[in-house]
Amino acid sequence: MSIVIEKFGGTSVGSIERINKAAERVARTKSDGYDVVVVLSAMAGDTNRLIDLATQIHPNPDPRELDMAMSTGEQISIALLSMALNRDGCKAKSYTGSQIPIVTDKVHGKARVQRINSDRILKDLDDGYVVVIAGFQGITDCGEITTLGRGGSDTTAVALAAALEATECRIYTDVDGVMTADPRIVPGAQILERITAEEMLELSSSGAKVLQIRAVEFAYKYGVDLRVLSSFHDVAGTLISSKESNMEQPKITGIAYNVNEAKITVRGVPDRPGVASKVFGPIAEAHINVDMIIQNVGMDNNTDLTFTVDRSEYQKSLVLVEKIMPEIGAQELVSNGNIAKISLVGVGMRSHTGIATTMFSTLAAEGINIQMISTSEIKISVIVDEKYVELGVRALHTAFGLDDANVPKRETAPQQALQS
Ligand code: ADP
Ligand code: ASP
Ligand code: MG
C-alpha cells in the first residue's frame, strides 16, 4: 500500500470554490493509484475569529476552553471537503483528532503529539476511502482536547506521514514553495527547488511560517521528506529532504524574520553561580520558550542578563522575572516589546567565510542598529528595532545575491505584510 498525505492550509480551503478545487486534487491523487490521507486547516480566518471571540469574553481565556473553541474550525473544513469528495464519487470520511485518536501531552495551546493510532485509518484506506483528518488538534490520555500551536496542521500531517510510513507528504499552501524570503515583503524572492531539513528547521524557527517548526522537527527526526506546493498552480514546489545534496551550496539559502519576539534584560545582578538557573527555571516550568540569551559581566562584577521570548508570553515572563529579582539581588528590569529578529540561514555558511561581516556592514549601511547577535553553524540572527525589519531583510536579500533579476524592486511593502 502506497500512502500519500496531502495537507491543505487555511487559504487553500478558504472558500467553497477552493474546497472544491482541493477535492479535485485529492481525487486525482486517488485515481493515480495512491491511498490518500488528507489533513486540513480551518478555513482561512476561522481560527483567528474563534480566538477573537474567546478574548472578547476574557483577555486571557482558560487554555482548556480556548482549545475547545479553537479546535472547532478544522471540524468544519474536514466535513465540507469529505462532502465534496463524496459528491464527486470519491468515497471519503472525516475524523477529528480525538476520533483517530492523535494522542498528545497536556500542554494546552502547544501540545506535542505522543502517538497516533493508525488502525481506523488503515481500515478505511483498505475499504477504499480517502481519510480526511482535522489538523492542529489532539486528545490527551485523560480525554482532554488539545491544540498543537498556530500552524499546527503541518505537524499533524508530518506526524501522520511518520506513523503511516507514507511514501510522500505534500503540504499545499498559498505560495509556490519555500522561497529565499517571505514573498510578502521581498517581491524578488525566488523558489528553492530543494532545501535540507536542517536549513528548513532554522528558517522555521526564525519565523518563516511557511512550515510550523514542530512539523520540520518531526520530519527531521523521522526522516520524512516533505514537498511544499501551491494549491493554485501546477508547480513542482520545494523538496525538503533530510539528505544533503552533493551540489555546491550557495552562501545563504534563505532569510527569515520574526516580529513576534520581545526582549527582557535583568540588570545589575551580583555575579554568583546559579543566577541563570534561578531566572530561567520558573520560565521553563511555565513552558515558555526562551530564544536568544546574552549574559555580560561588567567591570563592577555585576551581570546583565538579556533574553528574548515570544510576544504572546512576554507579560507572563515579566511577572516571573519580577518575582525572582529580590532573590538574585537584581537592580533593574528593562524590557522592549518592539524588536524583530532577522536571520540568515544556509548550510553553505560552513564553507564560506565573511558572511557575518557582510551582514553587519549591510545593516550598518542602512543605519540599522544591531541589539543582539547569535550564531549557530548554519545561521546568524540579529535583533533590531521592529521598524527596520522590512528594510533589513530586503537589503540583505540583495547583498547576498538572492534577488530574482526579473522582478522589479519595490520601495514599500503592502500594509498588512507583517500581520499574521
Ligand atoms: P497555510 O495556511 O497554507 O498553512 P501559511 O500562511 O501558514 O499557509 O504559510 C504560507 C505563508 O508563509 C506564505 O503566504 C508566505 O507569506 C509565508 N512565508 C514566510 N516565509 C516564507 C518563505 N521563506 N517561503 C515561502 N513562504 C513564506
Ligand atoms: N488553523 C490553525 C491555525 O490557524 C492551524 C493551521 O492552520 O495549521 O493556526
Ligand atoms: Mg501554515
Side-chain angles (χ1 to χ4, degrees):
M1 195 154 41
S2 200
I3 301 176
V4 169
I5 311 286
E6 299 204 310
K7 180 254 163 178
F8 294 87
T11 319
S12 311
V13 292
S15 65
I16 295 301
E17 192 194 343
R18 288 187 174 168
I19 289 176
N20 283 332
K21 202 127 202 252
E24 245 174 62
R25 195 168 283 275
V26 170
R28 216 185 308 153
T29 309
K30 176 83 178 137
S31 65
D32 285 344
Y34 292 104
D35 285 324
V36 191
V37 174
V38 179
V39 175
L40 294 189
S41 294
M43 293 172 77
D46 268 9
T47 311
N48 284 348
R49 189 179 53 83
L50 293 164
I51 295 172
D52 183 52
L53 290 175
T55 49
Q56 284 184 50
I57 301 281
H58 192 288
N60 276 316
D62 179 77
R64 177 189 185 275
E65 302 309 331
L66 185 60
D67 273 356
M68 290 293 278
M70 272 200 298
S71 59
T72 59
E74 273 72 11
Q75 190 166 342
I76 298 171
S77 56
I78 54 168
L80 295 178
L81 184 86
S82 301
M83 289 173 201
L85 285 165
N86 284 316
R87 176 202 60 204
D88 297 344
C90 180
K91 288 200 308 181
K93 256 191 212 178
S94 64
Y95 291 102
T96 61
S98 52
Q99 282 176 299
I100 293 296
I102 295 173
V103 180
T104 72
D105 65 18
K106 297 176 184 161
V107 186
H108 285 291
K110 51 177 178 178
R112 284 182 182 270
V113 176
Q114 291 181 327
R115 57 179 194 280
I116 294 177
N117 185 340
S118 45
D119 295 352
R120 213 162 173 177
I121 306 173
L122 293 175
K123 163 94 180 47
D124 281 347
L125 291 177
D126 242 5
D127 292 343
Y129 285 95
V130 167
V131 180
V132 185
I133 298 175
F136 180 54
Q137 56 180 263
I139 190 161
T140 67
D141 277 321
C142 305
E144 297 287 0
I145 288 176
T146 51
T147 62
L148 312 183
R150 297 307 304 270
S153 300
D154 295 334
T155 302
T156 308
V158 182
L160 280 161
L164 299 168
E165 294 178 16
T167 322
E168 264 194 71
C169 184
R170 301 175 184 164
I171 309 283
Y172 289 99
T173 184
D174 57 2
V175 281
D176 288 348
V178 178
M179 308 182 81
T180 48
D182 186 345
R184 285 189 215 196
I185 70 160
V186 183
Q190 304 188 63
I191 297 178
L192 298 161
E193 233 172 79
R194 126 182 226 137
I195 180 171
T196 64
E198 196 186 1
E199 287 170 314
M200 195 64 232
L201 204 54
E202 294 283 22
L203 281 178
S204 291
S205 69
S206 306
K209 72 166 191 166
V210 61
L211 279 176
Q212 200 206 31
I213 169 84
R214 285 192 180 161
V216 190
E217 276 170 6
F218 236 104
Y220 195 40
K221 186 165 165 196
Y222 293 98
V224 175
D225 285 354
L226 306 178
R227 189 168 284 281
V228 174
L229 308 139
S230 163
S231 54
F232 310 131
H233 312 121
D234 267 327
V235 286
T238 306
L239 176 70
I240 296 141
S241 170
S242 34
K243 294 144 221 105
E244 253 178 52
S245 108
N246 292 328
M247 285 178 20
E248 203 193 337
Q249 300 290 340
K251 281 188 191 170
I252 298 300
T253 305
I255 304 179
Y257 65 90
N258 186 352
V259 286
N260 285 319
E261 289 198 22
K263 189 173 82 167
I264 297 175
T265 302
V266 195
R267 286 223 176 110
V269 189
D271 189 24
R272 280 194 297 259
V275 168
S277 89
K278 285 215 171 88
V279 172
F280 294 118
I283 289 185
E285 273 162 36
H287 301 286
I288 295 170
N289 288 329
V290 173
D291 184 20
M292 283 194 200
I293 302 178
I294 290 182
Q295 183 178 320
N296 266 335
V297 181
M299 305 258 277
D300 56 359
N301 244 4
N302 276 344
T303 299
D304 285 351
L305 195 61
T306 302
F307 61 97
T308 60
V309 292
D310 196 86
R311 249 179 238 183
S312 63
E313 298 178 317
Y314 179 35
Q315 294 307 329
K316 213 158 115 191
S317 307
L318 281 175
V319 172
L320 291 170
V321 174
E322 254 166 10
K323 235 191 243 167
I324 203 77
M325 283 181 62
E327 198 184 320
I328 57 174
Q331 289 164 15
E332 198 185 359
L333 182 64
V334 188
S335 59
N336 184 352
N338 299 315
I339 55 154
K341 185 172 71 171
I342 302 178
S343 306
L344 300 181
V345 173
V347 291
M349 274 188 208
R350 290 192 183 122
S351 53
H352 288 98
T353 53
I355 290 169
T357 317
T358 308
M359 182 182 202
F360 303 154
S361 59
T362 305
L363 294 173
E366 299 291 344
I368 302 174
N369 185 43
I370 298 172
Q371 301 178 19
M372 290 171 88
I373 301 168
S374 87
T375 61
S376 80
E377 210 190 352
I378 64 161
K379 181 178 76 173
I380 306 175
S381 301
V382 294
I383 296 289
V384 299
D385 192 308
E386 185 184 355
K387 65 176 184 266
Y388 294 123
V389 67
E390 293 184 28
L391 177 65
V393 171
R394 285 205 283 263
L396 291 167
H397 201 265
T398 304
F400 284 96
L402 298 174
D403 288 339
D404 182 343
N406 299 317
V407 179
K409 283 216 180 92
R410 189 173 60 198
E411 287 306 315
T412 48
Q415 286 250 300
Q416 333 89 308
L418 297 180
Q419 288 166 9
S420 54

